[in-house]
Amino acid sequence: MIELFTRHPQSVGETYFEHLGMAAGFAASLLAAAMICAVHAVLPFMFEKTGSRIIADLYQRTGPGRKKGHGTSQLVEKA
């Protein structure tokens, strides 16, 4: 049963609690981005790039080529 909680975190090089922290942080960032985009939809002069910037930053932390290092994700330079 415990494997249900640890298989995925281990597959990305994290413990259960490291993964919990990362996923909760991502959820908070996505919620903030959604609220910012909703405001931007009504008031297009506000937050012109903020929502996209948050999403791009999240992608950089999880996208292809990332590796885990010292509690944070880092991108691996491809030659």
Side-chain angles (χ1 to χ4, degrees):
M1 179 72 166
I2 194 147
E3 184 183 341
L4 291 173
F5 293 93
T6 59
R7 184 178 0 167
H8 171 65
Q10 286 176 351
S11 76
V12 294
E14 296 173 343
T15 67
Y16 173 80
F17 289 105
E18 288 173 328
H19 190 270
L20 176 66
M22 288 288 288
F26 275 60
S29 293
L30 288 169
L31 182 58
M35 290 188 294
I36 286 166
C37 288
V39 170
H40 174 72
V42 176
L43 306 168
F45 55 88
M46 293 186 70
F47 306 116
E48 292 180 7
K49 297 180 181 176
T50 308
S52 340
R53 190 178 320 116
I54 292 170
I55 300 301
D57 289 346
L58 289 174
Y59 179 76
Q60 288 295 315
R61 292 170 54 194
T62 61
R66 92 165 171 100
K67 71 173 185 175
K68 185 177 174 293
H70 303 298
T72 60
S73 299
Q74 301 170 344
L75 288 179
V76 176
E77 276 297 316
K78 293 185 179 180

